[in-house]
Every structure is written in structure tokens, then in C-alpha cells.
Amino acid sequence: MKGILLVNLGSPDSPDPKDVKKYLGEFLMDERVIDIPLVARTALVKGIILNTRPKQSAAAYKKIWWDEGSPLIVISERLQNKIQQQVDIPVSLAMRYGSMTIKKGLQELVDKGVDEVLLFPLYPQFAMATTETITVLAEELRQQYFPNISIESVPAFYNKPDYIEVLSNSIKSHLENKQIDHLLFSYHGVPERHIRKSDVTKSHCKIDGSCCETPSKAHEFCYRHQCLEVTRLVAKKLDLKEATYSTSFQSRLGFDPWLLPYTDRTIERLGKQGVKNMAIVTPAFVSDCLETLEEIAMEGQEIFHEVGGQDFITIPCLNDDVAFVDLLSNWINKWTNTKIETT
Ligand SMILES: C=CC1=C(C)c2cc3[nH]c(cc4nc(cc5[nH]c(cc1n2)c(C)c5CCC(=O)O)C(CCC(=O)O)=C4C)c(C)c3C=C
Ligand SMILES: [Fe+2]
Ligand SMILES: [Fe+2]
């Protein structure tokens, strides 16, 4: 029997610094997130980051935490429940980090009689630190604990026309009757090094002005290309004029060069250049989370107001919107009957 495992990033069990430290320890010790040799990674994460960051992150989590729990997890559960109502096969939910493990999710499916799993990383764009770490871990767990099941993974869906349509419609509906001067597409950042590492051609990704627009096999695994494509395709669909939108990357951690331009500096620059009303959309996240509710909706807004900006509209993620539920359920139903199309 077929079954679905939706996988998102995960959150701490609570906004308590102790739980945040445990969660960050697991997350940042992942070799696909902080991709340096084990000894250096341990020294950096356990010796430096975990001594200071958990307190700071816990304070941020406290600002956005809901009575039901972490927004990212609550929203992912709502999505799972709504999809389950539209498909005939079992749908489970797991998180890459934290208590809702992929192992438990696979076990739940196996207990229901599933032996063919469609692994569905909830990320529109491929990244080593998201899609790849999920698929690699799921395969390791399969080999070790579930050798009698098969796992097929849903690839990044950043350029699927029906996804672009749902995203564009969501943006349009949130901007209805609003006068905005600029729409910023802010994606989670990654270190530039991750882009080069994921380049299957080993020579295409120069992270310059043009490589991401020059067709290449590398783009199947190029996070930067896939982010820029989402912006381009949505802008085309919504007929946005060139100077009225742009792309930036948020949530930088550490001192390595990450993808440019940075979101916080872009918001500041836009405000200083006289943009009075701006909107911001975050298409690397399908569920609202710390990075959208705190870093963008709170910190981003504060930066914009400090430099003279006025209206700052944060467009919610697709979350459990009916159109997004229909989209994912449609893809799942197609796979249930045949095989899902790959990009
Ligand atoms: C959308 C995809 C994401 C990518 C790519 C990504 C890369 C990445 N992240 C860090 C470090 C942190 N990320 C944190 C939170 C966080 N990151 C994502 C998504 C991506 N991360 C989400 C959805 C969240 C929010 C989780 C939630 O519970 O709401 C954090 C924790 C918060 C903080 O202290 O800032 C860290 C740390 C790195 C190093 C990285 C590298 C590629
Ligand atoms: Fe992150
Ligand atoms: Fe590129």
C-alpha cells in the first residue's frame, strides 16, 4: 500500500532555552547545514554557538509561540489533516529535527500497512540543508530499520506552473486594494559554498549576475537559481513592472559569505530610497515560522519604520490555504494512480 510522509524542518519542543539548545544542537550539527569537518563543527556549534544563541533564539521563539505550540508545527499538522481528507492513502507528518522524527513518521506508515512511501519535503526549492538532508536520512533509516519498504521523493516544485499559480494568487489576494511601491521576495539564505557544492557540473555556479539565468543541468540542484526562478515566474504571472520588485536572502548565520543581497539591508535601503509602502513574501517557507513571524514581520517592519517607511505588509506563507491543500492533494492523487512527474 502507498502512503505519504510530509516532512518539514521542525521546531524546539518549547521556547524554553533548554529545549531550544537541544533543538539547535541537533540542527546545527547536521553536516549538510554546517558543512565543515566534524571536529571543527563540534568546536563551532558546541563550543561557541550553543553558548550564546539558544538564549537569543528562545526570546525570539517566545514572541511567536502559540498556545497550541510552534506555529511551524501547528500549521504543518493542519496541512496534513486537510490533505488527509482529500486523499485515500495514509498521510503522516515528520520533522527533520526535534521530537517528530522521520523514523517515527515512517513507523507510523508501516504500522498502517504502507510499503511504498512518497517522501514529500515541504520545500519548493532544493537545498542541501533542507531537501537533501531529508532524503539522505530517510534512505539511511530505510536501510537500517525498514528494508522492506520503498521510498520515492518528491523533487523541488519551484517551477511547477500550478504551484506558481497558487503562490501568485495568494500574493494577489493579500495585496488587493493595497497601494504598494515595492514587493520584496525574501528567501532563506544559504552560504555561497553550499551552492558550489551542489553544482553537479562542478563549473557552472559562479554565483555571479548571469549563471542562474544561463540554462544548465546544475539548476536541478541550485537553490539560488530556483529562488530567482520563483520570483521571475510570479512576476511574469502578476505582470509586475521591473523596478517594483526584487529578491533578497534572509537569516544569515556566522561570518561566511551567504547569498546576496541580504533582506535586512535591502529593507533598509528601500526605505532610505523613499519606498513608503512595501510588501514582503517569503516563498522558501511553506509554513509561517520563526523566520517569517519574527525576523520579517517584527524585525523587518521595525527596520523599515526606522528609515521612514510606512506600510509594511507581510504576506503569509501558503500554510493550510485551501488552494495549497488542493495543489498538494492533486499531486498526491496523481502519484497514487501513477507516478509523480519529476522536474
Ligand atoms: C527554507 C529553507 C531553509 C534553509 C535553506 C535553511 C538553512 C539554514 N538555516 C540555518 C540556521 C538556522 N535556521 C533556523 C530556523 C529556521 N530555518 C528554516 C528554514 C531553512 N533553513 C526554518 C523554517 C526555520 C524556523 C524554524 C521554526 O521553528 O520556526 C535557526 C533557528 C532560529 C535561530 O536561531 O535563528 C537557525 C540557527 C543554517 C545555518 C542554514 C544553512 C544552510
Ligand atoms: Fe534556517
Ligand atoms: Fe547560478
Side-chain angles (χ1 to χ4, degrees):
M1 182 172 66
K2 291 183 172 183
I4 309 297
L5 187 60
L6 304 172
V7 188
N8 210 338
L9 184 100
S11 288
D13 287 340
S14 82
D16 195 273
K18 186 169 57 64
D19 286 334
V20 174
K21 184 171 183 175
K22 185 171 163 220
Y23 166 76
L24 288 183
E26 184 194 357
F27 182 7
L28 300 176
M29 280 305 291
D30 183 337
E31 63 185 338
R32 288 181 172 77
V33 175
I34 297 203
D35 58 321
I36 55 179
L38 181 62
V39 176
R41 187 162 71 247
T42 307
L44 175 66
V45 174
K46 299 194 174 159
I48 302 174
I49 302 178
L50 291 185
N51 288 326
T52 52
R53 186 107 193 164
K55 208 170 150 211
Q56 184 191 328
S57 296
Y61 271 112
K62 278 201 178 102
K63 292 197 226 162
I64 59 115
W65 208 258
W66 291 347
D67 289 344
E68 309 100 289
S70 142
L72 179 140
I73 293 184
V74 174
I75 291 166
S76 305
E77 285 170 342
R78 289 180 190 159
L79 179 69
Q80 173 203 5
N81 291 332
K82 289 191 180 177
I83 292 175
Q84 184 64 87
Q85 286 164 25
Q86 295 203 25
V87 306
D88 290 330
I89 55 174
V91 181
S92 287
L93 172 69
M95 298 289 152
R96 173 60 183 85
Y97 312 103
S99 306
M100 293 172 66
T101 62
I102 295 179
K103 187 177 171 204
K104 284 187 200 161
L106 289 173
Q107 187 65 58
E108 195 177 291
L109 290 174
V110 168
D111 290 346
K112 289 181 179 164
V114 169
D115 57 4
E116 265 183 86
V117 174
L118 182 68
L119 182 72
F120 204 144
L122 290 171
Y123 299 100
Q125 302 86 14
F126 169 91
M128 223 168 87
T130 56
T131 326
E132 189 176 278
T133 182
I134 290 171
T135 50
V136 168
L137 177 61
E139 178 53 20
E140 282 169 13
L141 291 166
R142 190 194 69 76
Q143 286 179 17
Q144 202 176 345
Y145 300 103
F146 310 102
N148 299 324
I149 66 169
S150 65
I151 300 182
E152 186 181 343
S153 297
V154 178
F157 50 88
Y158 69 102
N159 59 356
K160 292 258 178 236
D162 40 3
Y163 162 68
I164 293 296
E165 188 167 348
V166 168
L167 178 61
S168 304
N169 287 343
S170 164
I171 296 171
K172 198 172 163 189
S173 73
H174 285 96
L175 296 183
E176 212 137 54
N177 305 322
K178 305 254 174 28
Q179 288 298 325
I180 62 147
D181 311 318
H182 198 90
L183 173 61
L184 183 62
F185 292 75
S186 173
Y187 300 85
H188 197 300
V190 296
E192 287 185 356
R193 188 180 57 246
H194 286 211
I195 304 290
R196 294 200 182 86
K197 273 193 175 170
S198 299
D199 178 356
V200 287
T201 72
K202 297 291 164 220
S203 59
H204 177 78
C205 291
K206 293 174 249 356
I207 320 183
D208 60 9
S210 67
C211 66
C212 287
E213 281 148 37
T214 312
S216 167
K217 256 176 80 69
H219 292 162
E220 194 182 340
F221 300 107
C222 177
Y223 180 75
R224 182 172 179 264
H225 166 80
Q226 298 186 5
C227 294
L228 297 180
E229 272 299 279
V230 170
T231 302
R232 187 184 71 79
L233 292 167
V234 170
K236 193 169 162 208
K237 189 110 204 150
L238 295 179
D239 197 19
L240 302 178
K241 303 287 161 279
E242 188 135 350
T244 65
Y245 69 92
S246 57
T247 295
S248 61
F249 297 92
Q250 64 181 85
S251 319
R252 179 180 177 212
L253 178 80
F255 299 100
D256 293 329
W258 281 43
L259 292 180
L260 289 167
Y262 300 137
T263 295
D264 49 0
R265 294 193 196 153
T266 304
I267 294 171
E268 187 181 347
R269 181 181 52 76
L270 288 169
K272 283 183 174 165
Q273 283 173 349
V275 167
K276 288 292 168 214
N277 306 313
M278 70 175 286
I280 187 155
V281 64
T282 46
F285 310 94
V286 301
S287 325
D288 275 306
C289 60
L290 186 71
E291 313 301 76
T292 61
L293 300 171
E294 201 269 342
E295 186 178 354
I296 298 298
M298 295 179 188
E299 282 184 40
Q301 167 151 264
E302 203 177 308
I303 295 171
F304 192 54
H305 287 163
E306 271 167 13
V307 291
Q310 289 166 4
D311 255 14
F312 185 86
I313 300 165
T314 313
I315 298 171
C317 296
L318 295 174
N319 293 333
D320 61 340
D321 281 5
V322 64
F324 190 50
V325 172
D326 287 349
L327 177 75
L328 302 192
S329 304
N330 259 337
W331 289 347
I332 291 169
N333 282 329
K334 267 192 200 160
W335 177 75
T336 313
N337 298 326
T338 51
K339 281 193 146 235
I340 199 157
E341 292 161 41
T342 50
T343 45

